[in-house]
Amino acid sequence: MTNQPTGTSDGSIRWGILGTGFIAGLQTQDLNENGFTVQAVGSRTLDSSKAFAEEYGVATAHGSYEDLVADPLVDVVYIATPHPFHHANALLALNAGKHVLVEKSFTMNAREAQDIVDLAESKGLVALEAMWSRFLPHMIRIREIIGEGTIGEVRKVVASHNQNLPKDPAHRLNDPALGGGALLDLGIYPVSFAFDILGTPETIRASASMTATGVDRQTAAIFEYVGGQQAIVDCELDAASANRAMVIGTEGWIDIESTWYNPTPFTVLAVDGSVVERYEQPVTSRGMQYQAAELERLVSEGATAGTILPPRETVAIMAAMDEIRRQIGLSYDADAATERSARD
């Protein structure tokens, strides 16, 4: 087994937190607990920013996103707003010369993702998708096992993400104007996992059922590949499940326990069901520090793309999400902007 990532920092790179919601708090806590320097936070209101700064021990509170990205003591901006705002927020930070870690789903569609990636590349900056599960130790080990040929030729990936979430029609998750629906919030995890293991599919077949507000309540998709491999992914926002995942090969399979996209154990089994390897590695904090450590590594090495989740793959993932949405009849305001841009 190769050396596992530590998820720690020497504190030399200074972080700014854009947004003060629940996910911003989770990321900031993991940064604080693992040696990262959280220099500033920015919100649309100074009161919200000050409250967040007090709770998490952040040095500077800004009353606007513009002030945050203009802060000369900030090197990296973590974009923690809801995904309809990622495009504008990321462009704002990049244009101010800041590297960005952008929550998933990265954007609303592939066109917005490409905009961010293009701008970052033109400025020599890092634009990394905050798909935190990609960088967790158990996922690193799973890639090693597959690369070593332990389970033979990979034939199938199966992954679910089903949760019992708020059913209030006015809640963000159920509001089309705020990018609601199971796919962008939950489905991004199994879709990204399929890309991680098998790459970009040749074809996609998707099906969904919708809420009364017009977003997807549950969605399932089959990804098909040139070599005959398949990925079966599903998500749901109003019913929970064990949320396990499997990678199935010709010589065995990997069974990733609940909840597979969190730090969790997994078992490698041979075709006869015998245990080949059992992986259990406790992770400090929640585990979101690993994606931050990857961004800092890229910045320190003067690189703009790593191998675990390069920007071009983030764009391809958003394109696959676009295709799923096309098939299930789910569109957002951002798609209309994309169509207008294509016509111009």
Side-chain angles (χ1 to χ4, degrees):
M1 187 184 301
T2 61
N3 292 328
Q4 292 287 287
T6 63
T8 58
S9 171
D10 65 6
S12 61
I13 293 174
R14 299 160 299 185
W15 287 74
I17 309 299
L18 193 152
T20 55
F22 176 70
I23 195 70
L26 293 177
Q27 179 69 75
T28 302
Q29 182 170 326
D30 279 6
L31 293 173
N32 285 338
E33 291 175 355
N34 291 279
F36 295 81
T37 297
V38 183
Q39 176 66 36
V41 60
S43 179
R44 290 174 295 178
T45 67
L46 187 57
D47 286 346
S48 177
S49 189
K50 285 182 175 178
F52 188 95
E54 182 176 355
E55 180 174 0
Y56 294 101
V58 181
T60 306
H62 293 290
S64 72
Y65 300 151
E66 289 78 9
D67 287 347
L68 172 70
V69 302
D71 188 331
L73 297 181
V74 169
D75 305 306
V76 175
V77 174
Y78 169 59
I79 308 293
T81 48
H83 37 259
F85 308 107
H86 290 175
H87 180 249
N89 296 159
L91 296 183
L92 180 72
L94 289 167
N95 277 317
K98 313 299 185 184
H99 306 280
V100 292
L101 178 65
V102 184
E103 258 308 326
K104 74 280 165 247
S105 59
F106 191 70
T107 50
M108 296 298 292
N109 55 39
R111 188 269 306 174
E112 289 188 345
Q114 192 67 61
D115 283 350
I116 294 171
V117 169
D118 287 347
L119 181 60
E121 183 177 331
S122 72
K123 291 181 172 293
L125 296 168
V126 177
L128 181 66
E129 180 184 358
M131 177 46 71
W132 67 297
S133 59
R134 286 276 185 123
F135 307 96
L136 292 172
H138 76 287
M139 292 295 186
I140 302 294
R141 180 58 188 147
I142 284 169
R143 291 186 206 102
E144 292 175 347
I145 290 166
I146 292 169
E148 292 161 0
T150 304
I151 63 170
E153 178 190 343
V154 175
R155 292 286 179 83
K156 187 180 296 182
V157 169
V158 181
S160 296
H161 190 181
N162 304 308
Q163 294 194 35
N164 186 27
L165 299 173
K167 298 174 177 62
D168 179 359
H171 192 280
R172 177 188 69 79
L173 287 164
N174 303 305
D175 187 350
L178 293 177
L183 181 64
L184 264 63
D185 261 278
L186 307 179
I188 182 64
Y189 284 90
V191 168
S192 184
F193 184 55
F195 269 76
D196 191 4
I197 304 302
L198 291 172
T200 302
E202 183 182 30
T203 60
I204 296 173
R205 289 186 286 168
S207 175
S209 58
M210 313 302 280
T211 68
T213 58
V215 300
D216 63 311
R217 177 176 63 80
Q218 62 182 47
T219 296
I222 300 174
F223 292 179
E224 298 171 319
Y225 295 82
V226 175
Q229 303 93 336
Q230 293 177 321
I232 302 169
V233 299
D234 68 271
C235 57
E236 182 160 356
L237 53 67
D238 63 355
S241 74
N243 292 328
R244 297 176 77 103
M246 285 189 296
V247 182
I248 302 168
T250 54
E251 302 298 326
W253 73 94
I254 303 171
D255 180 23
I256 315 173
E257 296 180 12
S258 178
T259 301
W260 67 266
Y261 48 84
N262 286 340
T264 193
F266 67 81
T267 305
V268 184
L269 302 106
V271 288
D272 63 1
S274 61
V275 175
V276 176
E277 178 177 329
R278 173 72 177 169
Y279 181 92
E280 295 185 62
Q281 177 173 312
V283 168
T284 60
S285 306
R286 184 172 187 256
M288 295 176 74
Q289 68 270 24
Y290 293 97
Q291 62 185 359
E294 171 67 2
L295 188 143
E296 289 200 354
R297 183 189 69 81
L298 293 171
V299 171
S300 296
E301 295 179 2
T304 57
T307 58
I308 294 178
L309 185 52
R312 65 179 180 277
E313 187 169 335
T314 289
V315 175
I317 288 167
M318 289 313 306
M321 302 274 277
D322 289 352
E323 174 58 19
I324 293 171
R325 290 197 297 110
R326 185 192 68 79
Q327 292 188 27
I328 67 175
L330 176 60
S331 62
Y332 297 112
D333 291 345
D335 300 320
T338 296
E339 292 173 5
R340 288 193 299 271
S341 178
R343 289 195 301 266
D344 292 344

